[in-house]
Amino acid sequence: MQDQEFSKAYEPNNYEDSIYKAWEESGFFNPDNLPGKRTKSFSISMPPPNATGNLHIGHAVMLAIQDLTIRFQRMRGQKTLWLPGTDHAAIATQNKVEKLIKAKSGKTRHDLGRAEFLKQVNDFVIQSQTNIKNQVRKMGSSCDWTRERYTLDEGLTKAVSTAFVEMYNDGLIYRGSRIVNWCPRCLSTLADDEVEYKPTTEKLYWIKYGPFTLATSRPETKLGDTAVAVYPGDERYQKFVGKKIMIPGVLGEFEVTVVEDKAVDPKFGTGVIKVTPAHDFTDYEIAQRHNIVLKQIINEEGKMMANCGKYAGLTTRECRSKIVEDMQRMGLIEKIEDYDHNLSICYRCGTPVEPLPSKQWFINVNKEVKKLGGKTIKQKALEVVKEKEIEIIPDRFNKTYYHWIENLRDWCISRQIWFGHRIPVWYRNTKHGTRNMEHETSEEIYVGLEAPKGDGWQQDPDSLDTWFSSGLWTFSTLGWPEITKDLKTFHPTSLMETGYDILFFWVARMIIMSTYLMGEIPFKHVYLHGLIRDENGVKMSKSLDNVIDPLDVIKKYGADATRLSLLIGTTPGNDMNLSESKIGGYRNFVNKLWNISRYILINVKNPRLIEKQPSVKTLADQWILAELNLLIDFATKNLESYNFSVVGEKIYEFTWSKLADWYVEISKVESDKEEILLYILQNLLKLWQPFTPFVTQVIWQNLDDKNLLMIQDWPKASGKVDKKVIKDFDLVKEVVSTIRNLRSESNISPSQEINAVIVAGSSKKLIEQESLVISRLARLKKIEVLTSGKKSKASLSAVVGKIEIYLPVAGTLDVKKELNRLTVEEKRVRDFVAHLEAKLKNQRFLERAPKEIIEKEKVKLADHKVQLEKIKQQLKTLK
RNA sequence: GGACGAUUAGCUCAGUUGGUUAGAGCGCCUCGUUUACACCGAGGAGGUCGUAGGUUCGACUCCUACAUCGUCCACCA
């Protein structure tokens, strides 16, 4: 050990980069290079961060948890693969680059043209990918970079096309004319779950509508009305049902059909709604049920179409105020009220969504397919979770998953953006530029992996929803559609670890895609972590300036401390509040581990690995090994079941409160502990490695400079744990603590050594045997151990279980204070004894409680009665 | 409107199938440089476990209702 290398405080910045480099160069992130015979595999697909992003704290928590799991399984002898990659994040990336270009040159993507725009997007992506990959490394992630993938790389693009073609041939993908969510800013469709809702106060217009009065928030859609609907059997309107009526409007009269439909709430408003099938989902469904025609009046830019007369060309908002004016003039407006409702907006840009009729590609979620034994993809996705093939942690998310799947409608997968996987469909004699449903065309369609031969074919200009490719992630990254060795070895993956916020977006879609295309589940366990909020529980955001940047805190406190702060004190599915002081606390801990190691390594003659558990000499030796073995069992069991936090807490407690506070201190008193100290240290480093891989490796090099800690075998508990050892040692600890307490209460300075008399009864042998330890830790000069008797006058006194402790401090004894202290203590024990006595007198307790519990209470009572007696005597002696 | 979660020490959170005199870290108070560590050591104060009922010999733990906060889903003109 080099002294200068082992500085007083651990400096993470001096080691982290070189350690990571050593790991990466060792090749052990790659499962093919792992030593030993590894028959079982354990794999995780890393949820791909957006190719454009910066690492944020949400990524950090995901990386910490996944790396912990992979490192644990690697040490357990599994063939471990953690496959990293990035996602092209279609709309998000396109929007971002569009903004950048606009800011730089004032140009739009249309000015540049498709090819040039895509080139610029790709340049941008390559640059930010390098950035985020290095940030992933900073966290210590032991993922296999040789297998890294990108959703737009060649192999994955082929997987996407193959999936599309296969689903098309099975009739699962179809092109249809439907009402879609349309963002007039992005000029694209949005999936149902890409629409967000914003509470907004708007106006509700009560309008005269022929013979009816009805309420609407969108009077401009009156131009597209083709029906009026009432609740079935509503007496007020029976005479109109089934009739066609002429309604006066701002562009003259128009005809509507009156229908009955259960979608109408007879209690809301007047119980009548106007039906605009082309621009409202509910209205569209009503129109479908009653064979009502639809009339599109709003175009893809959110403007009124040519069929709107003088309103043509206005935005919907402009049109609304204009049309309201005109209607007021005609006396068609009865009243206008304020009205709170949820405005639908685009989740990417916040623009209000315009429902429009459009020709798009969909995945049919209700089609029974042969490949799934006649089930629908929806049924299959439900089944694998219900039958526990896939286990979601925490399991309460099962319910929300079921609910979401059950209510899933056909998934619109085409997007009118350029950046993404182009839809593998070609048309001839097409009018694909028009999405208007009224233009049915006779066109040839070709769906395939490559462009068809022959003239006049044009590829569909649209691209696929980014979640379509993400849905293939677990198997497309392993080589599918080729049946590769990796695919056979690592799929289904073992664990999917991600935030609960994308359970639907992503996890559900992977399940759908994998069960259909692969015929197997994508992963066995789903671990959902919560959101990281700031110390006040507020979502982190740049505008609030409450963001904790993982790179900043790694630099300041080290990657290990950052990881610990994200791994401990959290439970799956629950949000976590994180503050910098918490990270600082774990930095202190890492430093503690460093200094324990430093002490051991400096004081040991020959730092080395110890193969077998060393033989013991003292109670402390037995105790620390027993505690270590308990810890190993606990950690192994709980890491297997993803209880990271409790494991971290337990190892932390062992390290600081057991090893450092007691055993290391005792090692300064009892000699000849070289082997045990080394043995404990080497196992402790192994236990910590999945949590804090950097500092443990730095320390490990001092024990073994040839092999990396990350591929060592996970520790095994050796031998049976003797409970009596732990009980005895705990008693010794309590005696020491009690003496320290007495000293402290009486302001006896640590440098002042005093005598002690311990009346130990049946524990005399134990206390005598441990008297050296006790006297050094409690800073005693002389210690006298008796079986019984001898009341020491003018002493501080206390009782530990059945043991009486006297510290003769004649002269300095503050009798009044001491009496007071003992009286308080006496009352506390007396109350407890009374409580136990009452319990044990309760007939029903005696009848119904289990025997062991009653026995336990009886022993407790007896012990405390003895204690109470002794305190009383001590009080008497003082008086 | 429906579902879910949270509510435990000043703050951030643990608390496994009901059987401890309710725990940890940070913060706070007192004392302390005993050569691993002041990113430290020793000791201490601090909680009727959101409220009200109920089940039970026994409830922080189970049930019911309510309150506050939060999230998701559905969206009704």
Side-chain angles (χ1 to χ4, degrees):
Chain A
M1 154 119 8
Q2 310 296 317
D3 270 359
Q4 71 195 77
E5 187 191 334
F6 235 97
S7 54
K8 261 177 128 174
Y10 173 60
E11 303 290 350
N13 291 327
N14 293 351
Y15 305 99
E16 288 181 356
D17 287 348
S18 60
I19 294 278
Y20 193 87
K21 198 159 163 249
W23 285 334
E24 208 174 339
E25 282 170 359
S26 77
F28 293 135
F29 291 172
N30 181 340
D32 300 333
N33 299 331
L34 287 169
K37 212 174 50 219
R38 291 173 188 247
T39 47
K40 285 198 229 153
S41 62
F42 187 97
S43 54
I44 301 178
S45 288
M46 185 190 293
N50 288 358
T52 65
N54 259 308
L55 198 76
H56 58 69
I57 200 78
H59 295 124
V61 72
M62 139 195 140
L63 294 171
I65 293 174
Q66 289 169 35
D67 193 47
L68 161 66
T69 308
I70 278 288
R71 285 178 184 273
F72 169 61
Q73 296 294 353
R74 190 182 291 123
M75 290 177 81
R76 296 211 79 199
Q78 308 272 31
K79 198 171 165 110
T80 44
L81 170 64
W82 186 18
L83 195 150
T86 47
D87 188 275
H88 67 287
I91 295 185
T93 308
Q94 173 158 328
N95 283 355
K96 192 159 185 169
V97 177
E98 274 185 279
K99 259 183 215 161
L100 286 174
I101 293 173
K102 185 102 193 175
K104 215 167 72 185
S105 62
K107 288 186 178 161
T108 69
R109 67 176 152 123
H110 300 284
D111 295 337
L112 296 177
R114 187 162 190 148
E116 174 57 24
F117 178 73
L118 286 181
K119 188 185 164 292
Q120 297 210 15
V121 178
N122 280 323
D123 289 350
F124 176 76
V125 163
I126 286 169
Q127 194 189 346
S128 30
Q129 269 176 334
T130 313
N131 184 40
I132 200 156
K133 284 185 317 203
N134 283 327
Q135 295 174 334
V136 169
R137 286 182 167 90
K138 287 277 181 192
M139 281 293 293
S141 316
S142 61
C143 48
D144 183 5
W145 295 106
T146 67
R147 284 175 166 86
E148 181 203 344
R149 301 305 293 266
Y150 171 47
T151 47
L152 273 184
D153 69 26
E154 201 182 321
L156 266 64
T157 301
K158 188 177 169 203
V160 167
S161 304
T162 307
F164 187 98
V165 172
E166 205 166 306
M167 295 177 97
Y168 177 82
N169 290 338
D170 244 359
L172 270 177
I173 288 183
Y174 67 92
R175 192 174 188 222
S177 294
R178 296 260 309 272
I179 299 284
V180 295
N181 301 295
W182 184 270
C183 174
R185 207 233 43 108
C186 301
L187 293 179
S188 177
T189 52
L190 296 169
D192 289 344
D193 46 15
E194 289 173 324
V195 176
E196 281 181 356
Y197 297 90
K198 193 171 103 189
T200 318
T201 302
E202 301 224 28
K203 302 281 185 228
L204 187 64
Y205 304 89
W206 293 75
I207 62 178
K208 290 205 180 109
Y209 204 84
F212 309 104
T213 298
L214 51 79
T216 179
S217 59
R218 300 196 60 186
E220 75 278 14
T221 61
K222 190 177 172 187
L223 301 174
D225 288 355
T226 51
V228 158
V230 299
Y231 189 75
D234 192 324
E235 286 170 10
R236 292 172 287 181
Y237 308 113
Q238 276 308 301
K239 58 180 170 185
F240 301 112
V241 171
K243 302 240 168 71
K244 291 188 195 295
I245 307 185
M246 296 308 285
I247 305 289
V250 287
L251 295 176
E253 287 202 321
F254 60 97
E255 188 186 77
V256 297
T257 310
V258 182
V259 298
E260 292 181 315
D261 198 284
K262 58 182 176 1
V264 182
D265 179 356
K267 289 185 208 93
F268 188 93
T270 55
V272 185
I273 62 170
K274 64 186 205 60
V275 178
T276 321
H279 299 290
D280 185 282
F281 282 90
T282 313
D283 292 4
Y284 177 74
E285 281 164 17
I286 293 174
Q288 291 278 295
R289 285 194 281 269
H290 302 279
N291 269 320
I292 306 282
V293 293
L294 58 148
K295 182 181 172 196
Q296 182 174 359
I297 53 159
I298 300 167
N299 69 13
E300 293 166 3
E301 289 169 335
K303 292 185 173 153
M304 306 310 287
M305 291 174 26
N307 57 4
C308 296
K310 59 173 175 171
Y311 306 107
L314 298 180
T315 66
T316 51
R317 248 167 219 278
E318 289 162 356
C319 178
R320 186 177 310 165
S321 42
K322 204 71 183 275
I323 215 166
V324 167
E325 251 174 58
D326 293 345
M327 286 172 77
Q328 264 167 335
R329 204 170 300 134
M330 292 172 71
L332 292 176
I333 303 260
E334 208 159 80
K335 58 176 170 175
I336 301 173
E337 292 176 338
D338 276 346
Y339 171 60
D340 295 326
H341 84 142
N342 281 328
L343 185 65
S344 317
I345 55 172
C346 170
Y347 84 130
R348 288 296 183 196
C349 69
T351 307
V353 167
E354 219 39 87
L356 288 182
S358 186
K359 208 166 197 183
Q360 300 288 341
W361 289 96
F362 294 88
I363 290 183
N364 187 337
V365 298
N366 292 310
K367 185 181 170 68
E368 292 165 356
V369 279
K370 224 193 252 164
K371 250 184 113 173
L372 297 176
K375 294 190 177 100
T376 67
I377 52 175
K378 211 162 134 172
Q379 287 167 337
K380 192 67 193 177
L382 268 180
E383 181 187 293
V384 291
V385 177
K386 284 210 160 142
E387 308 208 331
K388 301 215 156 58
E389 275 188 73
I390 296 176
E391 193 188 333
I392 304 180
I393 304 164
D395 63 4
R396 64 183 146 89
F397 280 97
N398 285 338
K399 214 171 159 179
T400 52
Y401 174 82
Y402 298 151
H403 184 257
W404 189 82
I405 295 278
E406 278 160 5
N407 291 293
L408 193 60
R409 295 192 291 182
D410 284 2
W411 169 18
C412 177
I413 50 170
S414 44
R415 294 289 181 276
Q416 289 64 53
I417 57 172
W418 291 347
F419 185 56
H421 298 98
R422 190 97 175 244
I423 291 180
V425 177
W426 286 261
Y427 309 95
R428 193 142 60 171
N429 304 324
T430 176
K431 290 188 183 172
H432 63 253
T434 321
R435 298 179 197 286
N436 196 317
M437 296 164 103
E438 285 159 25
H439 297 268
E440 288 302 328
T441 55
S442 59
E443 59 191 2
E444 279 180 87
I445 284 192
Y446 175 82
V447 177
L449 298 179
E450 306 283 341
K453 302 252 187 281
D455 292 333
W457 288 101
Q458 272 188 293
Q459 189 170 5
D460 193 304
D462 291 352
S463 59
L464 286 165
D465 179 6
T466 192
W467 298 106
F468 187 94
S469 56
S470 314
L472 315 177
W473 187 247
T474 60
F475 50 96
S476 62
T477 53
L478 292 171
W480 189 86
E482 256 48 80
I483 306 303
T484 57
K485 196 172 157 227
D486 270 6
L487 191 64
K488 282 189 267 183
T489 311
F490 297 111
H491 204 271
T493 60
S494 314
L495 173 69
M496 172 48 57
E497 196 286 329
T498 187
Y500 64 75
D501 52 328
I502 54 173
L503 177 63
F504 305 137
F505 275 121
W506 191 39
V507 177
R509 272 158 189 155
M510 283 190 283
I511 295 175
I512 287 172
M513 292 303 216
S514 182
T515 48
Y516 169 72
L517 290 164
M518 290 288 295
E520 64 186 24
I521 52 172
F523 29 69
K524 296 180 194 112
H525 294 134
V526 178
Y527 181 101
L528 299 169
H529 63 251
L531 263 46
I532 310 295
R533 301 168 173 283
D534 77 2
E535 55 203 308
N536 302 311
V538 180
K539 209 168 170 173
M540 291 186 184
S541 75
K542 274 185 195 156
S543 55
L544 289 173
D545 196 29
N546 62 347
V547 177
I548 292 184
D549 180 344
L551 296 168
D552 286 351
V553 290
I554 286 172
K555 198 164 176 205
K556 204 160 159 196
Y557 302 104
D560 291 326
T562 304
R563 291 166 62 114
L564 283 177
S565 72
L566 296 168
L567 291 168
I568 299 181
T570 60
T571 40
N574 291 326
D575 292 352
M576 161 166 107
N577 295 2
L578 182 69
S579 61
E580 219 181 291
S581 73
K582 182 176 177 186
I583 306 169
Y586 285 112
R587 186 270 318 267
N588 295 354
F589 171 77
V590 169
N591 188 53
K592 186 73 182 183
L593 178 62
W594 174 260
N595 270 291
I596 293 168
S597 312
R598 181 166 172 248
Y599 169 80
I600 293 174
L601 291 168
I602 286 174
N603 284 285
V604 142
K605 282 194 209 83
N606 175 20
R608 64 194 184 280
L609 294 178
I610 306 295
E611 287 211 8
K612 279 207 298 208
Q613 179 170 304
S615 57
V616 295
K617 298 190 180 62
T618 70
L619 176 66
D621 297 343
Q622 288 179 287
W623 169 75
I624 198 70
L625 289 171
E627 292 282 7
L628 177 70
N629 286 327
L630 284 177
L631 179 67
I632 290 170
D633 277 341
F634 181 88
T636 309
K637 207 175 90 203
N638 283 285
L639 286 180
E640 276 172 353
S641 47
Y642 306 110
N643 291 316
F644 315 119
S645 185
V646 279
V647 173
E649 282 169 49
K650 270 280 185 336
I651 312 178
Y652 182 106
E653 192 201 355
F654 175 88
T655 308
W656 204 319
S657 310
K658 289 175 179 164
L659 180 59
D661 289 350
W662 293 95
Y663 193 72
V664 167
E665 290 309 312
I666 289 172
S667 79
K668 297 172 184 173
V669 179
E670 298 178 346
S671 55
D672 211 9
K673 295 205 182 302
E674 177 158 332
E675 283 206 335
I676 295 182
L677 283 169
L678 285 171
Y679 181 78
I680 299 276
L681 177 62
Q682 90 192 21
N683 280 296
L684 193 58
L685 293 175
K686 288 180 182 180
L687 291 171
W688 271 128
Q689 196 270 158
F691 289 85
T692 58
F694 289 106
V695 68
T696 48
Q697 173 60 35
V698 178
I699 300 166
W700 181 264
Q701 287 163 4
N702 295 287
L703 299 174
D704 174 5
D705 56 10
K706 290 188 187 68
N707 303 296
L708 292 169
L709 174 58
M710 66 176 278
I711 51 154
Q712 299 300 310
D713 290 340
W714 185 253
K716 273 207 187 79
S718 57
K720 269 206 168 163
V721 169
D722 185 348
K723 291 269 167 59
K724 187 169 181 299
V725 166
I726 292 178
K727 222 177 130 195
D728 282 353
F729 192 79
D730 284 347
L731 187 65
V732 172
K733 273 162 66 179
E734 214 184 330
V735 167
V736 171
S737 298
T738 305
I739 297 172
R740 285 169 172 174
N741 181 355
L742 287 174
R743 297 178 56 124
S744 175
E745 297 266 311
S746 303
N747 299 323
I748 297 167
S749 88
S751 55
Q752 189 187 344
E753 293 201 325
I754 56 174
N755 293 332
V757 177
I758 298 180
V759 182
S762 56
S763 302
K764 183 179 178 229
K765 214 174 141 196
L766 173 68
I767 299 299
E768 235 162 13
Q769 173 201 301
E770 298 303 317
S771 59
L772 178 64
V773 165
I774 294 170
S775 59
R776 288 290 288 277
L777 296 190
R779 309 194 61 76
L780 301 172
K781 189 160 42 182
K782 207 179 92 196
I783 181 166
E784 191 181 352
V785 186
L786 308 168
T787 316
S788 64
K790 187 163 176 183
K791 313 258 182 292
S792 299
K793 281 189 183 162
S795 294
L796 297 169
S797 56
V799 178
V800 174
K802 294 173 182 173
I803 297 176
E804 298 160 53
I805 297 171
Y806 297 94
L807 304 180
V809 284
T812 59
L813 185 68
D814 183 339
V815 178
K816 211 168 143 193
K817 194 172 161 188
E818 189 59 11
L819 272 173
N820 198 33
R821 196 181 57 74
L822 278 173
T823 309
V824 169
E825 180 67 4
E826 191 253 1
K827 181 175 184 312
R828 192 183 64 85
V829 180
R830 183 153 40 84
D831 288 351
F832 187 53
V833 165
H835 163 78
L836 288 173
E837 275 176 339
K839 198 172 187 178
L840 283 162
K841 265 184 203 148
N842 184 339
Q843 212 46 45
R844 311 199 62 170
F845 173 69
L846 296 173
E847 278 164 23
R848 306 203 178 183
K851 240 169 80 183
E852 319 86 75
I853 299 292
I854 299 175
E855 261 327 291
K856 232 171 111 183
E857 296 298 298
K858 280 185 176 166
V859 171
K860 228 191 269 176
L861 176 61
D863 287 353
H864 283 84
K865 271 183 158 169
V866 172
Q867 195 185 347
L868 183 60
E869 271 321 298
K870 292 184 189 296
I871 296 172
K872 279 182 174 165
Q873 280 172 30
Q874 290 181 339
L875 269 168
K876 220 184 273 172
T877 313
L878 266 178
K879 287 172 190 165

